[in-house]
Amino acid sequence: MRHAQLPIVVVGGGAAGLATALAMAPAPVRLLCRAHDGRGSASALAQGGIAAALDPRDSAAAHAADTLIAGAQHNDVAMVQWLAAGAPAAIAWLQAQGVVFDRDAQGCLQLGREGGHSAARIVHAGGDASGAALVHALRARVQEAAHVQWRGGVDVDGLLLREGCVAGVRTRDERGRHERIEASTVVLATGGIGALYARTSNPPGADGAGLALGLAAGAAARDLEFVQFHPTALDVPGHCLPLITEALRGAGARLHDGGGHALMAGVHPLGDLAPRDVVARRVAAEQAAGGRVWLDATGVDGDWARRFPTVLAACCAHGFDPRRVALPVTPAAHFHMGGLATDADGRTSVPGLYAVGEVACNGVHGANRLASNSLLEGVLGGRRLGELLANTPVPAPGSGPLRVVERGESLPPAQLAALHALLWQAAGPVREARALRDAWRVCAALAEAGWQARLAKALLRAMRLRRHSLGAHWRQDRGCPR
Ligand code: SIN
């Protein structure tokens, strides 16, 4: 049995962290989040939904095949099969937790279509508010759960190590006060790195802090070079941009250039619903040539307030009514396929430290994640890990001294903004050797100034080492045609 005195600490309140904490019952869990209300996670912003082969004409094998194609066959095949096979059960579990998915007039679950999918298999909630509905329901379950103690408003900025094993965390609250929490096990469910880029669809908290912490503790990383760029964020000034869900293109919206020409014509057989990396590079190429790209959704039928309330509200807030005018769009950093290397259960290379969801890399997404597989992985991976930890005997804590491994100071705001711009320019949808090398040198020079520069240096190193294009990692200098 677990040691009675020490809880498991889960860091992060998105889909993966919530699912992990719920599945650990009855083992005591402390769930630590930066946000107070659970809204700060990228999960809560996810629009499209959750992929699951639920149509009788569809199959887990087809879902797996699409996942492998999107991932450029760089995926771990066993993990892909596990993900696709578990998807229908994940939907059923979410319904049991109170997530209400959208249904058609006959009462059947509505299945949407997104890029890279050979069938309509995206289950969604509140139209395009799937992530918000999921986080809301799971958070309500967590708050009812007697075994989970939730604490918001804290940043985990250090890991406690004893005799080579992770033995807890150090937190920093909003007033800068540090506290140590000893734990039997620490699970990082801290999300991705999108906010390290100047243009992202992620929230500001998706800044790679958990990945940086794991690396500081010596955990091995995997596939750090693979960053997915969503092709359609709203092209307005700012850092964290509103996402324009791919489901809109699934519903008939089309991309065009400034001259009104179909952007994806002749580029890929799936046209506007080509895999994200293909569409994102096409949009980026148009921008690099001095043009602007537009998404025309004015022909999308139906009740926008019901089907696409999130997109409608975000666009209207910026003065664009998508029912009447085409929307300016830009690629934006969206998802990190790489992360802390884990096995199928979430174990990192550091004893006592686990990772799940976007911060982790178990190989399931390969070189490019298929649309609507991320909430799915968070839920399935979190439940798998939670159940494992609940049933894993833990030895009594050692008696050696505790050591704190710190993530380190943050870059000052001006240097951080410059780093975001540098990564966008050198490590974005299109990369080449010289820009990667120069950016790496800048980050190496800044490495002592802030943890974001050290993390960026690790990312850039992986991007430099993979000299050929694969999936979302596109090397313009040595790119294979695709
Ligand atoms: C989208 O709605 O376009 C994004 C969904 C995803 O990232 O899978």
Side-chain angles (χ1 to χ4, degrees):
M1 287 301 295
R2 297 210 144 254
H3 190 270
Q5 304 306 311
L6 293 180
I8 300 162
V9 164
V10 176
V11 188
L18 293 168
T20 307
L22 284 172
M24 278 181 198
V29 179
R30 291 192 73 174
L31 184 58
L32 306 175
C33 307
R34 281 170 162 177
H36 281 286
D37 56 3
R39 290 201 194 130
S41 67
S43 299
L45 296 184
Q47 294 182 6
I50 303 179
L54 294 172
D55 188 308
R57 291 159 297 184
D58 196 6
S59 66
H63 183 183
D66 290 344
T67 301
L68 289 165
I69 292 169
Q73 310 289 340
H74 185 67
N75 320 57
D76 180 309
V77 175
M79 289 309 299
V80 171
Q81 288 165 346
W82 163 79
L83 186 83
I91 300 296
W93 181 77
L94 286 169
Q95 289 173 311
Q97 304 311 308
V99 181
V100 179
F101 292 111
D102 298 333
R103 291 180 180 271
D104 63 19
Q106 285 71 47
C108 301
L109 285 176
Q110 281 179 348
L111 299 176
R113 178 98 187 260
E114 289 182 3
H117 286 275
S118 58
R121 63 166 77 95
I122 314 301
V123 180
H124 46 89
D128 61 6
S130 305
L134 183 150
V135 169
H136 180 79
L138 295 192
R139 186 163 176 260
R141 297 290 81 76
V142 158
Q143 284 180 322
E144 291 162 6
H147 71 289
V148 185
Q149 195 188 343
W150 169 293
R151 183 154 164 221
V154 288
D155 180 32
V156 171
D157 72 351
L159 289 172
L160 308 183
L161 272 90
R162 177 184 277 127
E163 296 162 7
C165 298
V166 167
V169 295
R170 187 182 75 174
T171 61
R172 188 173 197 268
D173 70 13
E174 287 150 329
R175 291 163 68 183
R177 292 174 303 197
H178 279 121
E179 187 190 331
R180 290 178 175 200
I181 301 173
E182 288 194 50
S184 61
T185 302
V186 173
V187 177
L188 295 176
T190 47
I193 60 159
L196 277 184
Y197 281 85
R199 317 221 84 188
T200 181
S201 62
N202 292 179
D207 59 359
L211 176 55
L213 196 52
L215 295 178
R222 176 173 172 187
D223 289 350
L224 292 183
E225 64 274 35
F226 297 116
V227 180
Q228 182 175 85
F229 297 87
H230 197 289
T232 60
L234 190 66
D235 189 10
V236 289
H239 176 208
C240 299
L241 305 175
L243 183 70
I244 310 295
T245 177
E246 199 159 283
L248 262 181
R249 276 176 282 136
R254 292 291 168 259
L255 291 161
H256 64 76
D257 64 16
H261 303 111
L263 194 79
M264 294 305 295
V267 175
H268 190 280
L270 289 172
D272 286 79
L273 287 176
R276 273 184 200 163
D277 61 314
V278 178
V279 185
R281 277 196 299 278
R282 180 69 193 93
V283 177
E286 192 63 22
Q287 291 176 328
R292 217 166 172 205
V293 173
W294 304 84
L295 183 72
D296 186 349
T298 56
V300 171
D301 294 330
D303 178 0
W304 272 77
R306 191 177 51 78
R307 290 181 78 193
F308 299 109
T310 313
V311 171
L312 182 65
C315 293
C316 287
H318 286 89
F320 299 98
D321 184 339
R323 296 165 298 190
R324 296 189 172 79
V325 298
L327 307 168
V329 291
T330 179
H334 185 61
F335 188 85
H336 197 198
M337 278 69 72
L340 297 174
T342 69
D343 67 6
D345 292 322
R347 281 180 199 85
T348 72
S349 61
V350 177
L353 183 66
Y354 291 74
V356 66
E358 193 173 346
V359 69
C361 179
N362 56 34
V364 71
H365 301 302
N368 195 18
R369 175 177 64 78
L370 183 66
S372 287
N373 269 353
S374 58
L375 290 177
L376 176 60
E377 190 217 352
V379 168
L380 280 177
R383 291 187 66 208
R384 176 176 179 152
L385 174 55
E387 283 165 13
L388 173 93
L389 292 176
N391 293 302
T392 303
V394 172
S399 53
L402 279 178
R403 179 168 74 86
V404 184
V405 174
E406 299 181 7
R407 188 175 59 227
E409 288 303 311
S410 175
L411 284 176
Q415 280 181 328
L416 187 55
L419 181 84
H420 295 163
L422 182 71
L423 283 182
W424 180 252
Q425 169 262 318
V430 177
R431 301 165 179 173
E432 55 93 15
R434 187 185 302 255
L436 289 171
R437 182 202 62 196
D438 293 349
W440 183 89
R441 285 181 179 167
V442 172
C443 291
L446 282 176
E448 295 310 311
W451 63 263
Q452 295 93 341
R454 284 194 292 284
L455 177 56
K457 188 176 149 220
L459 299 171
L460 288 158
R461 179 174 183 275
M463 292 169 195
R464 292 180 72 193
L465 287 175
R466 190 174 291 280
R467 295 193 181 168
H468 292 276
S469 297
L470 189 69
H473 173 69
W474 181 259
R475 289 290 300 255
Q476 184 167 260
D477 42 353
R478 298 201 193 186
C480 336
R482 176 169 163 179

